[in-house]
Amino acid sequence: MGAPQGDWYVKSVEKTFTVLGAFTEEEPLQSVSEVAAKADLSRAAARRFLLTLTELGYLSTDGARFQLAPRVLNVGSAFLSSLTLPAIAEPHLKQLSADLQETASVCILDDVHVVYVARVTSPRLVSVAVQVGTRFPAWATSMGRVLLASLDDADLQDRLARSDVRRFTPSTVPSREALQAEIRTVRERGWSVVREEYEEGLSGVAVPVHRGGRVVAAANVSLHQSYGRAAGLEEILLPRLRRAAEDISADYGIRLTG
């Protein structure tokens, strides 16, 4: 995404969100020097931003390192509340999860990532730490590939060019060429399955959720070993997932026209 143009643009706002973006799930604790490097700021400037955000309650510190504070959830919670999709999706995900005894989720596309906005966890899922607000690289997930497949070619190529496509596990798609071929297949058949490409033990199948004739989200079900390469997936799981996505789309469409 190119830098915005215009005399209205406030550079300090961009820097503030760049500083907040330095804190990730993999690196939740950051020193002043680490944030300065990630945000391309001087150490003095990074310190001022960090101390200001701490004073405002968006960060906390032990004196040496900083981390996000619970107040940052206010922004995300406001977005989820205004979206209404989570509330619409949840009863359908609960039914789907109960029918399949699997975890069911809905994600949206945020630039080159997918973000979980609704999730109903299977009772037997105990090890995969995924929750509402969790972000994954779109290209490496079934939900993301469904959403990427819905884009026009120019938009798709732009997002893939800005994605960090690399091998996470032995099962990860081996090249960008193979990834693009897989996304073309998803576009043609209307669903995606990804098996342990981003994290071992994390597999899933996804289909699109529509609103007003366009894809706005992806519905996903986690995959258990009992679902074979084709039979169990296409005969049992996929039809039920599609039905749930259609029901979510129908209810979400009512909000659009009602």
Side-chain angles (χ1 to χ4, degrees):
M1 194 178 299
Q5 302 295 319
D7 56 10
W8 49 264
Y9 191 69
V10 182
K11 191 71 175 177
S12 60
V13 175
E14 176 193 335
K15 291 179 179 178
T16 298
F17 281 98
T18 302
V19 168
L20 288 172
F23 298 89
T24 65
E25 185 176 355
E26 295 78 17
E27 299 177 290
L29 293 170
Q30 298 284 324
S31 67
V32 173
S33 297
E34 289 168 336
V35 170
K38 290 184 177 181
D40 194 24
L41 296 170
S42 68
R43 193 178 185 283
R47 182 174 181 274
R48 289 196 298 272
F49 275 98
L50 290 168
L51 291 177
T52 300
L53 287 166
T54 300
E55 182 69 21
L56 292 172
Y58 291 98
L59 296 176
S60 62
T61 181
D62 61 6
R65 294 190 296 177
F66 295 79
Q67 64 181 355
L68 296 176
R71 190 169 185 178
V72 299
L73 294 173
N74 291 348
V75 177
S77 296
F79 169 70
L80 290 175
S81 297
S82 65
L83 187 65
T84 72
L85 176 59
I88 291 172
E90 186 172 3
H92 299 292
L93 295 180
K94 284 182 176 178
Q95 184 62 57
L96 181 63
S97 179
D99 288 346
L100 296 172
Q101 290 296 294
E102 298 292 355
T103 296
S105 311
V106 166
C107 291
I108 59 171
L109 187 64
D110 180 18
D111 195 25
V112 298
H113 293 86
V114 289
V115 181
Y116 284 78
V117 297
R119 185 168 171 84
V120 175
T121 306
S122 165
R124 69 183 175 194
L125 184 65
V126 295
S127 60
V128 181
V130 178
Q131 56 194 341
V132 170
T134 296
R135 300 161 62 88
F136 286 138
W139 67 270
T141 68
S142 61
M143 305 85 72
R145 289 180 188 176
V146 162
L147 293 166
L148 290 171
S150 72
L151 304 176
D152 63 52
D153 287 338
D155 194 1
L156 171 62
Q157 294 306 317
D158 174 64
R159 298 196 198 212
L160 289 181
R162 292 185 288 107
S163 297
D164 181 19
V165 179
R166 54 193 171 95
R167 298 297 293 271
F168 288 108
T169 75
S171 300
T172 303
V173 65
S175 66
R176 284 182 178 270
E177 291 73 20
L179 172 62
Q180 297 204 45
E182 175 61 23
I183 292 175
R184 286 195 296 271
T185 298
V186 172
R187 184 180 286 172
E188 292 168 2
R189 72 185 180 191
W191 58 277
S192 173
V193 58
V194 170
R195 296 181 185 272
E196 301 185 290
E197 292 196 35
Y198 181 66
E199 181 179 327
E200 292 184 1
L202 191 63
S203 301
V205 59
V207 299
V209 172
H210 297 84
R211 193 187 200 195
R214 63 188 183 90
V215 175
V216 294
N220 159 271
V221 169
S222 62
L223 285 182
H224 189 258
Q225 294 282 352
S226 60
Y227 292 108
R229 290 287 171 179
L233 172 62
E234 296 193 38
E235 294 175 9
I236 301 173
L237 190 151
L238 189 58
R240 297 185 187 185
L241 174 59
R242 278 178 163 157
R243 191 177 311 120
E246 289 166 1
D247 290 341
I248 294 170
S249 298
D251 287 352
Y252 201 31
I254 291 173
R255 295 295 181 90
L256 182 67
T257 58

